[in-house]
Amino acid sequence: MTTITLEAVPDGVPAPYVSVAVDDHPEASARCTVWRTHGGRSFRVRGLVKVSTAGLVSGLDTEAPFAESSYRVEYFDESGIFLEWSETEEVTLSGLEPGWAWMHDPFDPATSLKVRFEWSTAAEIMRSTPSDRVRQPSRSVGIAFAGTRSGVEGLVLDVWTPSFADADRLDAMLGLYDVPGPSILCVRTNRQMRIPATLFAEVPKSLYRPYGARRGSEHGDWSMAVDEVAPPVEAVIRALLDYADFEAYYTDAGGDYAAFTAAYADYAQAQVDYSIAGYADA
């Protein structure tokens, strides 16, 4: 039977995350997709979409909400035909103070930034239901053919950044002159805000006010009016842990490949040692 191991890491780097490890796959399986469910909505876990079941399947869910979530695995055979679902495991990620949020480029968790909401954020939450109305001469009122209710629309996200460095990071998430960005942010906040705990927000425009610069400080705030959109392709993600991290870490520690192999029982254990993720870039 499939084994799903989950660990909530509220002080994780580059941001709070849920560590996901899946083993003991069905014998007939060739690939699998890990799903997360919260609040009646299910999402594929980024980076764990149609991955090989030849060994341990693992990753960091940096889109996990600050709440209780359940995870299960969808299995496929060599031809891509669905086989079965695993049992469900639950985990709770906590540790985010009210009025704060984590934001990042969905494709690159390393861009994660913690920001404080202004009072104007999510003061009004609007969703719409498109419909077609038909009027008939014999009826005093029309007939409505309603569609599907939308996600959040025109949501005000006003945030405060304490430094130019944080402002530059948020600016880069939205795209620079020569480095285009997706203009979609993954925003994670507390359910007290009454917006989706994991919100994929399209940001067509942003307004930055570096008001502190005139007084010798680096404080500033941002105003954004966003619409909720589907997550960008979940199979794509910038890896947080690679061979260069291991090489840099054990070289600095005065070791070599022998020290690396001695530190772990097997390669499966090494590939989930996210404590050294990003070491090569440090």
Side-chain angles (χ1 to χ4, degrees), residues 108-269:
D108 189 359
T111 63
S112 295
L113 177 67
K114 188 178 182 181
V115 296
R116 191 181 71 187
F117 282 145
E118 302 282 14
W119 288 104
S120 50
T121 293
E124 297 178 323
I125 303 171
M126 181 179 69
R127 298 175 63 188
S128 64
T129 303
S131 66
D132 291 325
R133 286 183 290 276
V134 178
R135 296 188 64 90
Q136 293 180 325
S138 61
R139 290 176 175 266
S140 59
V141 295
I143 301 173
F145 298 91
T148 301
R149 192 181 183 201
S150 73
V152 177
E153 297 179 319
L155 181 72
V156 173
L157 285 184
D158 291 346
V159 303
W160 173 79
T161 51
S163 66
F164 290 156
D166 281 359
D168 289 344
R169 290 180 65 186
L170 180 53
D171 197 39
M173 285 185 223
L174 300 172
L176 302 175
Y177 286 101
D178 297 323
V179 184
S183 292
I184 297 175
L185 299 178
C186 176
V187 182
R188 296 187 295 161
T189 187
N190 288 304
R191 285 295 291 155
Q192 291 95 319
M193 294 299 297
R194 307 303 301 165
I195 60 177
T198 299
L199 173 71
F200 293 93
E202 180 189 20
V203 187
K205 292 182 180 180
S206 61
L207 174 65
Y208 174 47
R209 304 182 187 91
Y211 60 82
R214 295 168 181 77
R215 300 192 296 272
S217 80
E218 299 186 0
H219 296 173
D221 60 28
W222 294 73
S223 291
M224 296 172 279
V226 308
D227 291 329
E228 183 180 9
V229 295
V233 184
E234 298 100 325
V236 179
I237 188 173
R238 179 179 179 272
L240 290 174
L241 178 65
D242 58 30
Y243 182 78
D245 293 322
F246 291 107
E247 186 176 44
Y249 179 82
Y250 284 99
T251 298
D252 287 354
D256 52 17
Y257 184 75
F260 164 76
T261 56
Y264 307 102
D266 51 34
Y267 284 108
Q269 186 182 42

